[in-house]
Each structure stands twice: as structure tokens, then as C-alpha cells.
Amino acid sequence: MAVIRNSKQRDAIKSYLMSTTCHPTAENVYSVIQSDFPNISLGTVYRNLNFLVEHGEATQIDCGDGYVHFDGNVNPHNHFFCKICKKLSDIEMYPIDHIDIIAGANFNGIIEGHSVIFNGICPDCCQKL
């Protein structure tokens, strides 16, 4: 079994992800982390983000805007994507875990969870209409 070394850069990336709810892209993370690690490369940020996802310390979200967003909140929750400002945000709601049972009713495989992204217009953009 390979030994996983600690990395100050990875720790900083994880800390940033856990401190924000803006669901940043790798490029966003890079621009924030670069102030503390001026020699870090975008490739290193990508590798560390993928490492965190693979080890269950972050999730990645593809909401169809051409970017992969990252989330430090690995607890089950749902998201909302605004079609106008392209902002991805957490949405507070009652748990909908029962949809796994509904989806599994006519499915012969094993459903282990779900990911929900609601789409529409966020409150800020609604006010501008």
C-alpha cells in the first residue's frame, strides 16, 4: 500500500474548499491558493483536487456550464444552478433520500445515492428582471 504524504498545498486547497460555499472551479482555487504558494501550478491544483475527490474529502459537480466545480461539503445536499449568472449554490431543503427507493423500484442494479442540481433563476437575478 502506497504511503500518502501530507502536503501543505493540498491542506491549503482542502481548507479553502471547506471554508467556501461558492463551489469554485480549479482555476478559481488556483487564483486563491497562488497568493500563499506563488510557485504552484494549475496542474498541481488539479491533481490535488482530484486526490481530494478520490479520497472522499471533496466532491466535484458538473452542472453543464463547461466547468467542473468543487465542493468541500461532502455531506449529502442538493444544489441550484442559475441559468443567468451561472452561480452554483447549495439549496436548503428537506431530505429527499426516498428518491433512491423510487428510482430503484424498476431498476435491477444497486442505487447507492443521487446528485440533484436544480436549474432556474436565482433570487438576485429575479430582482434584476
Side-chain angles (χ1 to χ4, degrees):
M1 184 161 115
V3 175
I4 299 172
R5 296 185 317 169
N6 258 356
S7 158
K8 289 180 183 180
Q9 295 170 336
R10 185 181 311 126
D11 290 343
I13 291 168
K14 180 180 175 184
S15 178
Y16 172 65
L17 284 181
M18 294 182 74
S19 72
T20 186
T21 59
C22 73
H23 305 86
T25 63
E27 290 81 3
N28 299 138
V29 173
Y30 172 70
S31 66
V32 170
I33 296 300
Q34 195 176 28
S35 62
D36 290 332
F37 299 94
N39 294 326
I40 195 168
S41 70
L42 182 57
T44 298
V45 171
Y46 269 106
R47 281 189 296 280
N48 280 291
L49 286 168
N50 288 329
F51 177 91
L52 292 171
V53 170
E54 288 170 9
H55 288 84
E57 298 181 60
T59 58
Q60 62 183 36
I61 305 160
D62 183 351
C63 51
D65 64 345
Y67 298 97
V68 174
H69 299 262
F70 293 89
D71 194 345
N73 179 0
V74 296
N75 296 317
H77 63 286
N78 301 302
H79 296 95
F80 179 85
F81 182 72
C82 178
K83 68 180 186 177
I84 295 176
C85 69
K86 309 297 185 205
K87 180 180 175 186
L88 179 65
S89 56
D90 294 339
I91 187 166
E92 297 294 324
M93 57 186 288
Y94 291 108
I96 56 173
D97 296 338
H98 61 281
I99 66 171
D100 293 345
I101 297 168
I102 295 168
N106 294 311
F107 179 69
N108 292 329
I110 299 170
I111 293 179
E112 296 180 336
H114 61 273
S115 174
V116 176
I117 301 175
F118 294 93
N119 298 289
I121 303 172
C122 72
D124 290 340
C125 289
C126 282
Q127 288 182 351
K128 296 174 187 173
L129 295 178

